[in-house]
Amino acid sequence: MGAFPEPLRRLIDALGQLPGVGPQTAERLAFHLLQADKPEAVELAAAINAVKEKLHPCPSCFAATPEPCCEICADSARDQGLILVVETERELAAFERMGRFGGVYQVLGGRASAAEGRRYAAAAIERLKQRVSSGQVREVILGTNPDKHGDLALRSVVAALQDAGVRITRLARGLPQGANIEYLGAPILDEALQERRSLGGEN
Ligand SMILES: [Zn+2]
């Protein structure tokens, strides 16, 4: 029997599982919700539920979407021959905010847990290989973060596409090691994309 009644304990435990939320913050948030007006708390629960119920991975790029196919893949104005590989939807959103990328994406999948992430990335890389083998892809750009996890993802993709006969490039080396694409300004991101480096792969 803990210091808090069971439903509250359960909420504290659930909030404590979130990234960046320590035990004290989890308690503070739980008490906030306990004291909040019921509609506020119910809306939060409904929003969480909607994210899990209504979104699923796009069958092509794996980005979360409520539609059968995501808006970007379904857009005939986007260049389907140019695929930008990103780790999560957060980097995808950063490139979309930048607004100067006209191709499509492949989302490798989150870092929620290492094992989960690896499984998801393996499925995404397999999907990417299929897309490339369709023969309509001219170039795969690796837009992974310049950090340990991103470099690992980058190497996996390069290894998988080595014999695929497609041009493989990566973002320009101007990005500082450990930088997070999500927080880079549009001009820096645009420059990194425009001045991308070839990693080979062409036949
Ligand atoms: Zn898509």
Side-chain angles (χ1 to χ4, degrees), residues 57-63 65 69-74 92 104-105 131:
C58 167
S60 183
C61 72
F62 284 22
T65 176
C69 176
C70 83
E71 274 180 28
I72 295 172
C73 290
L92 185 158
V104 292
Y105 296 90
R131 293 172 80 185

Side-chain angles (χ1 to χ4, degrees), residues 31-191:
F31 275 99
H32 169 81
L33 289 167
L34 176 66
Q35 284 154 12
D37 291 340
K38 197 172 175 191
E40 184 191 335
V42 167
E43 168 52 24
L44 176 65
I48 293 170
N49 201 39
V51 159
K52 301 311 287 181
E53 293 287 320
K54 298 195 174 148
L55 297 183
H56 60 88
C58 167
S60 183
C61 72
F62 284 22
T65 176
E67 307 297 334
C69 176
C70 83
E71 274 180 28
I72 295 172
C73 290
D75 184 349
S76 59
R78 308 280 302 217
D79 182 352
Q80 304 286 331
L82 185 61
I83 299 181
L84 177 55
V85 179
V86 291
E87 290 172 73
T88 73
E89 280 93 347
R90 285 149 61 201
E91 287 82 29
L92 185 158
F95 282 108
E96 286 301 291
R97 276 197 302 274
M98 189 256 297
R100 294 197 52 190
F101 177 68
V104 292
Y105 296 90
Q106 186 77 57
V107 179
L108 293 179
R111 302 181 180 199
S113 84
E116 212 23 55
R118 271 194 300 274
R119 263 199 302 280
Y120 201 78
I125 290 171
E126 205 42 51
R127 186 74 189 92
L128 178 63
K129 273 173 80 173
Q130 286 170 6
R131 293 172 80 185
V132 166
S133 68
S134 75
Q136 278 158 28
V137 179
R138 298 185 316 280
E139 179 180 346
V140 173
I141 307 169
L142 297 160
T144 49
N145 278 306
D147 61 16
K148 217 174 105 189
H149 187 281
D151 288 344
L152 204 69
L154 185 145
R155 283 200 295 275
S156 308
V157 176
V158 171
L161 295 182
Q162 221 161 28
D163 303 319
V166 70
R167 177 170 193 222
I168 307 170
T169 54
R170 67 170 297 169
L171 297 179
R173 269 295 186 193
L175 299 183
Q177 185 66 21
N180 197 320
I181 285 172
E182 197 187 344
Y183 303 120
L184 291 174
I188 297 176
L189 214 48
D190 189 25
E191 193 181 319

